[in-house]
Amino acid sequence: EAGVVQSPRYKIIEKKQPVAFWCNPISGHNTLYWYLQNLGQGPELLIRYENEEAVDDSQLPKDRFSAERLKGVDSTLKIQPAELGDSAVYLCASSLSAGLETQYFGPGTRLLVL
Amino acid sequence: RKEVEQDPGPFNVPEGATVAFNCTYSNSASQSFFWYRQDCRKEPKLLMSVYSSGNEDGRFTAQLNRASQYISLLIRDSKLSDSATYLCVAYQGGKLIFGQGTELSVKP
């Protein structure tokens, strides 16, 4: 069974440019998560979707970050404009449903903002 | 103060050693706890859940003390392949709260 797919795997951009990340969750998984992981830190939740509804976006910096999950499957996370401090790994995860279902992580997108 | 705190590490141990990781959490409302493993430049993967009664999976033993808000992971007879970062995780309010991770390096 295919795991969580993310693209691109690596992205280098200049500050103030926009960037977008794409995630395809495991088939049948209704809940999708976007996490941010800084070097030497654990992942931090940015947003959680249940189907197409964003049920927890309290940690998403809404001035520059946006996300969508059209049709309740694939999701994109966008940053516009990017800042130097946005350099990090952006991880997508999915689970069958919300609650204590195991979350499966994708390989992440490593972003470097110059 | 972080909601989930771990030993800073790194831990450098020889093969065959026993190593213990400690973790504390600040929110007593946390419902469940887990240990995740993250290899270098890879994604986190669930290692095991943590129960109050303690649970064991081969060489790995996890323990939870709710009164002290303390979680531990013990690895016995460590292998080279155990080298990774171990993340302590609390589940609360519908989301996972990760500690900063403790790096383990097992040497021959």
Side-chain angles (χ1 to χ4, degrees), chain A residues 3-110:
Chain A
V4 176
V5 179
Q6 290 188 246
S7 69
R9 294 293 309 278
Y10 304 91
K11 189 74 176 178
I12 301 174
I13 61 171
E14 293 188 345
K15 63 181 181 182
K16 301 185 182 179
Q17 294 300 304
V19 64
F21 314 125
W22 175 80
C23 173
N24 180 240
I26 293 172
S27 178
H29 280 197
N30 296 323
T31 308
L32 183 147
Y33 313 78
W34 282 103
Y35 288 86
L36 163 70
Q37 186 172 24
N38 287 304
L39 190 64
Q41 301 296 316
E44 298 173 38
L45 182 68
L46 289 172
I47 188 167
R48 172 167 61 102
Y49 281 94
E50 289 179 22
N51 298 302
E52 64 274 8
E53 183 183 357
V55 295
D56 183 355
D57 64 355
S58 56
Q59 301 302 311
L60 190 72
K62 298 181 185 61
D63 56 337
R64 297 183 301 107
F65 286 64
S66 64
E68 61 182 13
R69 192 185 184 198
L70 300 176
K71 302 181 182 178
V73 180
D74 294 3
S75 178
T76 57
L77 177 69
K78 298 178 182 177
I79 309 174
Q80 181 169 11
E83 297 179 351
L84 296 177
D86 296 331
S87 296
V89 178
Y90 292 82
L91 292 161
C92 179
S94 70
S95 62
L96 274 172
S97 61
L100 285 173
E101 295 285 347
T102 299
Q103 293 185 25
Y104 297 88
F105 284 81
T109 296
R110 196 170 296 268

Side-chain angles (χ1 to χ4, degrees), chain B residues 31-102:
Chain B
Q31 298 156 273
S32 299
F33 304 90
F34 309 92
W35 285 99
Y36 273 69
R37 170 191 170 130
Q38 187 170 25
D39 291 293
C40 187
R41 302 179 78 84
K42 300 282 190 179
E43 70 274 21
K45 292 183 179 178
L46 178 65
L47 178 65
M48 60 196 302
S49 302
V50 188
Y51 305 116
S52 297
S53 55
N55 50 301
E56 191 173 307
D57 183 2
R59 298 180 293 108
F60 298 80
T61 301
Q63 205 84 39
L64 165 64
N65 184 322
R66 286 193 182 273
S68 305
Q69 297 185 192
Y70 170 87
I71 302 154
S72 65
L73 176 68
L74 186 75
I75 305 176
R76 291 181 299 278
D77 188 22
S78 52
K79 313 290 185 190
L80 297 177
S81 58
D82 294 333
S83 297
T85 295
Y86 291 83
L87 296 157
C88 178
V89 187
Y91 176 82
Q92 69 186 57
K95 59 187 179 186
L96 297 181
I97 310 295
F98 286 81
Q100 73 266 42
T102 302

